[in-house]
Amino acid sequence: MSLFSFKIRLYLLFLITTNLKAQTTTVWYNHSNHPFWFDTTRLDKPTRHYFKAMELALVNQFTQSAAMLYPLAIDTINPIAKPAQSQLALLYFFQNQFQNVLDLTQKTKSKPAFYTDALFFNDRPKSLLTLKNVSYTVPFVLRHKSLIVVEVLIQGRRKKFVLDTGFSRTAISRLLANELGLVVYESNSTVSTATGSTQVAISSIKHLEFGNVLLENWPVYCYSSFPLRHIDGVIGLDVLRQISYTVNFPQTRLTIEKTVADSSLTKNLFGLSMPMMAIQVANDQRLDVFYDSGSDGFDLNKNAITKLKPLPIGRKLIVIRGINKGISIRLGKRVKHLNLTHDGYLLSCKNIPISTREDDVFSIPTTGIMGNRPFRKGLLRIDFPNNHYSYEATPSLLQKTASAKPVQ
């Protein structure tokens, strides 16, 4: 292939993928319960395979996704090779398959940003996640009206951790790492979360237990400190996406269950390192928001404002707390009120900040970031393995859960 034809092909790929990104703002999942479909009929075979692999990754079919990405990643003369290498390395890394990251790097001569992190983790014993019981219920403390704080047992010490889907990986404070005598590696990696990014160190913990979940030799990020007092760490998406759990906000009870595959469930929860939640607005529009359970806020970006026009917009002093960013206070634009719906339940939201941040997951533009605040009057079930969440807030259900399995 000549240099000229290579450049033309690369330019055409850019134009096509840009067009696909625009199309996905209106198509998320179809009546066959697939997460979303790109119109790839005019693309070449490698590019079609790349987008199919992205679809598979969104619905937790990581093995199948990696199998499709690998031949694309090692075909280095193809313009799709670079994005395939990046996505495949990401798949391996967030599944704790660190040797695969190193092997891919050697094969393609292309180092991902987290290559040295993979080297460090690969020298440690293999990580394991085990559910000791099929179902287990524990109490939690609700901080700032929406942050779920649970007690964990980490290497013989009882500590307070937040359940935080905005963290791609479980994390601890530097203070706790020192207390446990952990080996800490100063990483150059910058870690993205649903509310920002920050530079971290890395380490590995031998034993962490909460509820019926046991983590052994688990890779963790180390932060200099967490802004909230008496918080020692977070249980991140690397753990939460492997389990199913129900949060009973009125009774402050967390039930962790072994996942049972169920193809009948509506797919409305997607993502790999950052989760995306599809939620309906009362006027039958749909918002695709990052679900960040470590933030007490709910904000919309200009994609949402454009999609939902007209909206009642004003200005107000906005206060948002997040585990990784502390407290943010600013005067800004906000949506005065917005009604969301889920399975017949009305979620009324007021004074929603308008953010300038824009993100996308596999070419799907997001419309904002949502924490637990809209769900705190009922039961929120998160089932990442089945790409599903549900919410219920009826008095009869709350009475029924009062007589459910006691805390152990």
Side-chain angles (χ1 to χ4, degrees):
M1 181 188 297
S2 69
L3 180 61
F4 176 75
S5 61
F6 176 84
K7 288 182 177 179
I8 290 295
R9 189 176 182 184
L10 187 61
Y11 178 65
L12 288 174
L13 177 63
F14 169 77
L15 291 178
I16 292 170
T17 53
T18 301
N19 182 48
L20 287 172
K21 181 174 180 177
Q23 292 180 34
T24 56
T25 60
T26 56
V27 179
W28 181 273
Y29 47 82
N30 63 15
H31 296 295
S32 301
N33 207 23
H34 291 291
F36 68 98
W37 293 110
F38 290 110
D39 179 10
T40 59
T41 54
R42 292 176 293 174
L43 300 181
D44 60 21
K45 185 176 180 180
T47 310
R48 289 199 305 272
H49 282 188
Y50 174 79
F51 283 110
K52 179 61 178 178
M54 296 300 95
E55 292 183 355
L56 292 170
L58 277 172
V59 292
N60 295 327
Q61 297 184 36
F62 301 129
T63 301
Q64 299 91 322
S65 178
M68 293 193 74
L69 285 172
Y70 186 80
L72 302 176
I74 63 175
D75 182 12
T76 55
I77 64 170
N78 196 307
I80 206 71
K82 285 294 183 182
Q85 290 165 12
S86 298
Q87 296 300 339
L88 182 56
L90 194 68
L91 279 176
Y92 288 152
F93 188 75
F94 284 108
Q95 293 182 92
N96 295 345
Q97 298 177 4
F98 305 116
Q99 184 60 55
N100 285 350
V101 175
L102 304 183
D103 292 343
L104 179 66
T105 300
Q106 184 176 17
K107 184 76 174 179
T108 62
K109 310 301 180 186
S110 176
K111 288 185 179 181
F114 44 79
Y115 174 77
T116 54
D117 295 0
L119 275 175
F120 175 87
F121 290 138
N122 195 57
D123 286 338
R124 269 62 192 167
K126 184 178 180 180
S127 58
L128 295 172
L129 184 154
T130 307
L131 287 182
K132 299 187 298 180
N133 306 91
V134 174
S135 179
Y136 201 91
T137 301
V138 296
F140 66 84
V141 175
L142 202 61
R143 295 280 300 274
H144 301 298
K145 300 182 180 180
S146 62
L147 304 184
I148 302 165
V149 181
V150 297
E151 185 176 80
V152 308
L153 184 66
I154 179 169
Q155 298 188 191
R157 293 169 171 83
R158 297 192 179 278
K159 299 294 180 180
K160 303 294 184 182
F161 277 46
V162 175
L163 299 190
D164 191 346
T165 59
F167 270 70
S168 56
R169 189 173 291 283
T170 296
I172 62 175
S173 68
R174 284 289 195 121
L175 185 64
L176 179 56
N178 293 337
E179 181 182 334
L180 299 176
L182 300 181
V183 175
V184 175
Y185 174 75
E186 300 297 335
S187 171
N188 292 323
S189 296
T190 299
V191 177
S192 295
T193 70
T195 54
S197 60
T198 186
Q199 193 165 342
V200 296
I202 58 176
S203 190
S204 178
I205 50 178
K206 293 181 180 179
H207 179 280
L208 188 151
E209 188 174 347
F210 71 101
N212 55 338
V213 179
L214 173 62
L215 306 178
E216 298 175 273
N217 306 313
W218 203 257
V220 294
Y221 289 138
C222 298
Y223 286 73
S224 56
S225 64
F226 294 103
L228 300 182
R229 294 180 61 192
H230 309 302
I231 297 298
D232 304 292
V234 301
I235 302 297
L237 191 62
D238 57 332
V239 174
L240 298 176
R241 67 175 174 79
Q242 299 187 57
I243 62 176
S244 301
Y245 59 95
T246 300
V247 184
N248 185 330
F249 285 101
Q251 297 183 11
T252 59
R253 293 292 184 266
L254 172 71
T255 300
I256 304 168
E257 298 175 310
K258 185 176 181 179
T259 298
V260 177
D262 187 349
S263 60
S264 69
L265 295 174
T266 300
K267 296 186 184 300
N268 54 16
L269 187 63
F270 308 98
L272 174 60
S273 60
M274 298 179 75
M276 181 177 282
M277 180 180 279
I279 190 164
Q280 294 295 127
V281 183
N283 63 359
D284 291 331
Q285 291 280 3
R286 191 194 67 250
L287 296 177
D288 309 323
V289 296
F290 275 138
Y291 172 53
D292 178 12
S293 62
S295 169
D296 69 346
F298 172 28
D299 65 45
L300 301 173
N301 61 27
K302 70 177 185 179
N303 292 330
I305 304 306
T306 301
K307 191 173 186 178
L308 301 178
K309 281 183 177 180
L311 286 173
I313 295 177
R315 296 183 70 86
K316 188 177 180 180
L317 192 65
I318 298 166
V319 180
I320 298 178
R321 295 177 181 88
I323 293 299
N324 70 313
K325 286 293 184 183
I327 300 176
S328 170
I329 303 176
R330 60 184 172 85
L331 180 65
K333 291 183 178 180
R334 47 92 183 186
V335 176
K336 295 179 180 179
H337 58 83
L338 180 68
N339 288 329
L340 309 176
T341 61
H342 184 75
D343 290 343
Y345 297 104
L346 181 67
L347 306 175
S348 183
C349 303
K350 297 180 180 180
N351 297 322
I352 307 166
I354 300 175
S355 170
T356 57
R357 178 184 171 109
E358 292 183 50
D359 300 282
D360 65 81
V361 174
F362 299 145
S363 297
I364 300 176
T366 67
T367 49
I369 299 174
M370 177 183 287
N372 289 320
R373 186 177 291 270
F375 306 110
R376 64 188 181 187
K377 293 184 179 180
L379 277 74
L380 175 65
R381 177 169 174 77
I382 299 293
D383 186 354
F384 278 110
N386 282 309
N387 297 107
H388 179 73
Y389 79 93
S390 61
Y391 175 75
E392 296 179 78
T394 63
S396 60
L397 182 59
L398 296 180
Q399 286 178 356
K400 188 165 102 174
T401 57
S403 59
K405 181 178 177 179
V407 176
Q408 302 185 42

